Amino acid sequence: SSELTQPPSVSVSPGQTASITCSGDKLGDKYVCWYQQRPGQYPVLVIYEDKKRPSGIPERFSGSHSGNTATLTISGTQALDEADYYCQAWDSSSPYVFGTGTKVTVL
Amino acid sequence: QVQLVQSGTEVKKPGASAKISCKASGYTFTGYYIHWIRQAPGEGLEWMGWINTYSGGTKYAQKFQGRVTMTRDTSMSTAYMELKRVTSDDTAVYSCARESSEYTSGYVHWGQGTLITVSP
């Protein structure tokens, strides 16, 4: 299966840490990207190549990848981080499948 | 600056075909693949496929094999995505996207999205 599974929702208090997992078969063979999508907007790349941050993305966003599971961590979560987050497997020889998506709620 | 400008909203009858364009500017069109992604109302992102704008080669998600065709016109710097035999399940916003020139993965350039509504 080429599906990537994420938890449907994650709730976090302001200032705390939110972690979102992304799991899939053979994910260990691929790079993982993460996107943030606010309502009505296009997705914004927040992590590429498993753990690198694009220019302009705050340091509180970090990524890791071990085996078939990748993780996006938001440290010191702020209200403006409330959004949907998607992982994506990046491999030119395979489908660029997206994860099922996680809604992050900052309580 | 890089821009991807898509064609406008369409309403289609079930069984019809929908064809969306994505006009690129601000860079060498044939230097980057164009990917197509869709998002149904209230649903997640779904990768549909890519086109190699230099060679015209394509790769489609298995789900769309036989129903989707991606093409390009290099003289117009425009990519196209045609979806045949649409049903109500194909109602979605369809977007073209391009990866960054700086990063090894991920999309940083997106079209504005094209809403396709399938309705009897």
Side-chain angles (χ1 to χ4, degrees):
Chain A
S1 170
S2 59
E3 294 181 350
L4 296 181
T5 302
Q6 300 179 229
S9 62
V10 167
S11 297
V12 60
S13 300
Q16 299 304 301
T17 297
S19 294
I20 305 166
T21 56
C22 170
S23 300
D25 292 345
K26 300 182 181 179
L27 190 59
D29 300 336
K30 306 173 176 60
Y31 279 134
V32 175
C33 306
W34 289 92
Y35 300 88
Q36 175 194 70
Q37 187 180 33
R38 296 192 176 103
Q41 298 186 17
Y42 63 82
V44 173
L45 183 68
V46 295
I47 293 289
Y48 70 98
E49 206 175 301
D50 295 341
K51 58 184 179 183
K52 297 181 179 180
R53 274 179 295 106
S55 174
I57 299 302
E59 289 185 10
R60 64 180 181 274
F61 288 90
S62 63
S64 63
H65 191 175
S66 178
N68 289 333
T69 300
T71 303
L72 174 69
T73 301
I74 312 172
S75 305
T77 305
Q78 300 181 10
L80 57 84
D81 299 328
E82 190 163 285
D84 294 327
Y85 291 83
Y86 297 90
C87 61
Q88 183 187 27
W90 195 271
D91 181 358
S92 60
S93 63
S94 301
Y96 286 68
V97 64
F98 284 98
T100 50
T102 298
K103 182 176 182 61
V104 171
T105 301
V106 183
L107 299 171
Chain B
Q1 72 283 20
V2 174
Q3 279 195 306
L4 300 173
V5 179
Q6 298 181 222
S7 48
T9 296
E10 297 189 29
V11 179
K12 296 293 181 182
K13 301 283 188 191
S17 295
K19 188 171 185 177
I20 303 167
S21 65
C22 171
K23 183 170 177 59
S25 61
Y27 72 99
T28 301
F29 177 68
T30 52
Y32 298 87
Y33 289 23
I34 290 288
H35 295 239
W36 289 91
I37 297 103
R38 78 176 187 180
Q39 189 167 32
E43 301 295 323
L45 302 171
E46 186 170 28
W47 182 81
M48 299 181 70
W50 55 247
I51 181 166
N52 179 329
T53 53
Y54 179 78
S55 68
T58 55
K59 187 175 187 72
Y60 303 140
Q62 188 171 9
K63 174 178 180 177
F64 299 104
Q65 292 272 5
R67 235 175 25 107
V68 71
T69 304
M70 296 177 187
T71 57
R72 92 287 190 225
D73 180 339
T74 57
S75 69
M76 299 287 289
S77 297
T78 300
Y80 301 91
M81 188 284 297
E82 182 176 25
L83 187 63
K84 305 178 184 68
R85 302 185 299 279
V86 298
T87 71
S88 58
D89 289 342
D90 295 315
T91 293
V93 173
Y94 292 76
S95 299
C96 57
R98 202 211 85 176
E99 61 199 271
S100 167
S101 58
E102 298 178 66
Y103 314 130
T104 54
S105 52
Y107 309 121
V108 296
H109 304 290
W110 293 76
Q112 82 274 21
T114 297
L115 173 62
I116 302 291
T117 301
V118 181
S119 179

